[in-house]
Amino acid sequence: QQGELQLTDYGVSGIPVFQISRYAIRAVHENKNAELSINFFPELNQKELEEYLEQRKTACPYKTEKELSRCVDSVLMQAYKNFEIILVDDGSPDRCGDICNEYVEKYKYIKCIHQSNQGPAAARNSGLEVANGQYVLFMDSDDMWNDNEALMRLNLIIDENPDVDVICFGYTLYDAGMNIIKKCIPTIDKHYGKKYDIVKQLVYDYQYYNAAYLKALKRTFLIGNGIYFQHGVLSEDIGWSGRVLVYANDIKVCSSAFYSYILRTSGSIT
């Protein structure tokens, strides 16, 4: 029964976090003092869970030399140009490091960090530490953006809401052959303006996506609240995403699926 659930850092006592019901999620949302990292995570069936565990503006290249240029080029083609790109070579054994260096030599607003292999959490944290932008976005290096006006859309929301901490957006899911499987686009009633109403609708409609790459976040908000990715855990962005919702004062939604999540035949979550 819901009243007997014991919330822990990694879910509910005896229940894997991906099986927590939205009713337990609602209870957590209405009690902001609850001590847990995983705050909002709708149910996944087994197939969805397996797809999620295959997953793994900061791009973290690792064993993605064939896809890395596609990822970076999709950002370079943005109509909005006031941005920097930080590439974190997480000790990739292929040519990712060399490809990153080639981009650094060609574009003055691209930086690269080379580090020993520590996993996606450490790579994202490293990128965040050296970022200078007002807002940051994360990308997986085997994915891409499919809309060259994506940053313009986000910047418009920021201009209209200068205090916004987090902007959530959606994604388009592709198979390995670049065939569209589905589009997931968050939508909010226009009269909703407060965080509670926005979060409530996103969670109840299964439109709050935990993935770090589906958010634009104010850099000072993350650093000021110590919201970093936890090392040594699988799917580290789930707990991170819960903390984002708890600490954010202002959340907005961009109803767009410009992020392209591309399924691979082999994972890069190392």
Side-chain angles (χ1 to χ4, degrees), residues 4 58 72 103 161 203 220:
E4 298 176 354
T58 298
V72 177
Y103 275 107
N161 305 273
V203 171
T220 54

Side-chain angles (χ1 to χ4, degrees), residues 141-197:
S141 56
D142 52 348
D143 294 333
M144 60 179 287
W145 289 347
N146 58 47
D147 181 357
N148 62 9
E149 295 186 352
L151 289 182
M152 289 184 63
R153 301 177 195 278
L154 295 175
N155 193 60
L156 179 61
I157 294 175
I158 294 170
D159 284 345
E160 295 176 348
N161 305 273
D163 295 326
V164 63
D165 293 319
V166 183
I167 303 174
C168 301
F169 47 89
Y171 67 98
T172 303
L173 179 64
Y174 294 83
D175 63 20
M178 294 303 295
N179 300 301
I180 295 178
I181 298 175
K182 65 177 179 179
K183 290 188 176 184
C184 296
I185 305 175
T187 55
I188 293 294
D189 292 340
K190 292 183 178 180
H191 66 278
Y192 283 170
K194 294 183 178 180
K195 169 190 171 181
Y196 177 85
D197 295 324

Side-chain angles (χ1 to χ4, degrees), residues 242-260:
R243 292 191 295 275
V244 164
L245 283 189
V246 169
Y247 285 100
N249 292 317
D250 192 359
I251 295 176
K252 301 302 180 188
V253 172
C254 178
S255 295
S256 173
F258 66 80
Y259 191 94
S260 297

Side-chain angles (χ1 to χ4, degrees), residues 99-111:
I99 295 172
C100 290
N101 290 337
E102 292 170 3
Y103 275 107
V104 171
E105 293 178 3
K106 189 173 182 179
Y107 299 96
K108 62 181 180 180
Y109 50 88
I110 297 182
K111 303 175 184 177

